[in-house]
């Protein structure tokens, strides 16, 4: 089943075309990594998929239902109520975005209680299970300032998972971390992949993308230059632009 479908997505800022006719689908249980140079449109694609930005033209579907489509003038029209679609996904940011004056447990239970109207006891029990799974069981009462960057990012992953999304988006989840903390976050994502969590990961960690992904997409200049099996794209790419980009990662 297609969890996410994007068709002919276009997005410009001022006169700069950032997304140029992007189309992709993500199937249930699939892990897709998106790579490419800065300014290629990777993060904008995620922001449009999660309604943080609106498309100029194109379609977005979650679980086969249209959240955005082209109107008579060819420009994107959005559903009046996006709440059911927002419930389909979770988003993990580069900078954690935790509430600084709330404990770890409160950060994880806030949205399930406020948005999904789940009883406190139920939300807290689910949160504690997630924290245990992510190696944070002893941090439930701690505050973000008392945690390492890696721990904060794991809390943000728990917060996203607490909403029981169909798909998780990661926007360079390790870019704000020291190298020694990167591994603990990547291990969590790898475990989620083994659990068949549907994920789209914008990343610059090439070896990780190769190990964890079912498919790798290489973007440049607002278009998908190449996509396919991780070994094919990352080891034996067909496109010269892909080869040029990957050569900068080789020692």
């Amino acid at each position: 089943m297609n969890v996410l479908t994007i068709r002919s997505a276009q997005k410009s800022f001022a006169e700069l075309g950032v997304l140029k006719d992007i189309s992709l689908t993500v199937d249930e249980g699939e892990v897709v990594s998106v790579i490419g140079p800065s300014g290629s449109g990777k993060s904008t694609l995620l922001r449009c998929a999660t309604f943080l930005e609106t498309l100029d033209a194109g379609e977005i579907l979650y679980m086969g239902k249209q959240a955005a489509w082209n109107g008579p003038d060819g420009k994107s029209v959005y559903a009046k109520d996006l709440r059911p679609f927002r419930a389909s996904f979770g988003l993990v940011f580069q900078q954690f975005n935790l509430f600084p004056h709330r404990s770890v447990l409160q950060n994880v239970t806030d949205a399930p209680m406020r948005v999904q109207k789940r009883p406190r006891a139920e939300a807290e029990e689910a949160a504690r299970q997630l924290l245990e799974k992510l190696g944070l069981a002893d941090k439930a009462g701690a505050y973000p300032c008392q945690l390492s960057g890696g721990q904060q990012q794991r809390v943000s992953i728990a917060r996203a998972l607490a909403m029981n999304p169909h798909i998780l988006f990661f926007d360079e989840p390790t870019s704000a971390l020291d190298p020694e903390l990167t591994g603990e976050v990547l291990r969590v994502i790898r475990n989620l992949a083994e659990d068949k969590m549907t994920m789209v990961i914008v990343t610059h960690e090439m070896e990780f993308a190769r190990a964890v992904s079912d498919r790798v997409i290489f973007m440049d200049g607002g278009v998908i230059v190449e996509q396919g099996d991780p070994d094919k794209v990352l080891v034996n790419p067909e496109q010269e632009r892909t080869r040029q980009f990957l050569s900068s990662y080789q020692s």
Side-chain angles (χ1 to χ4, degrees), residues 58-107:
E59 302 176 68
I60 301 174
L61 295 86
Y62 278 98
M63 313 302 289
K65 297 181 179 179
Q66 283 193 313
W69 59 92
N70 284 324
D73 60 357
K75 295 185 177 181
S76 292
V77 177
Y78 281 76
K80 289 184 178 179
D81 186 2
L82 288 174
R83 286 176 298 179
F85 300 102
R86 293 185 194 279
S88 296
F89 60 78
L91 176 60
V92 178
F93 299 90
Q94 297 178 25
Q95 297 293 342
F96 325 137
N97 288 14
L98 299 174
F99 296 116
H101 302 300
R102 295 185 182 177
S103 69
V104 166
L105 187 65
Q106 290 170 331
N107 266 280

Side-chain angles (χ1 to χ4, degrees), residues 1-4 24-28 30 32 167 198 200 215:
M1 180 179 187
N2 294 150
V3 176
L4 171 67
L24 64 90
T25 60
V26 181
D27 293 334
E28 187 173 12
E30 188 178 21
V32 178
I167 182 171
T198 310
V200 176
R215 178 161 44 109

Side-chain angles (χ1 to χ4, degrees), residues 42-54:
K42 309 182 303 294
S43 291
T44 299
L45 178 63
L46 252 61
R47 291 180 65 84
C48 287
T50 56
F51 313 133
L52 295 175
E53 300 282 357
T54 55

Side-chain angles (χ1 to χ4, degrees), residues 6 38 44 56-57 59 61 119 127 141 171 206 224 227:
I6 295 176
S38 297
T44 299
D56 298 330
E59 302 176 68
L61 295 86
D171 189 4
M206 297 302 149
I224 294 175
Q227 64 176 309

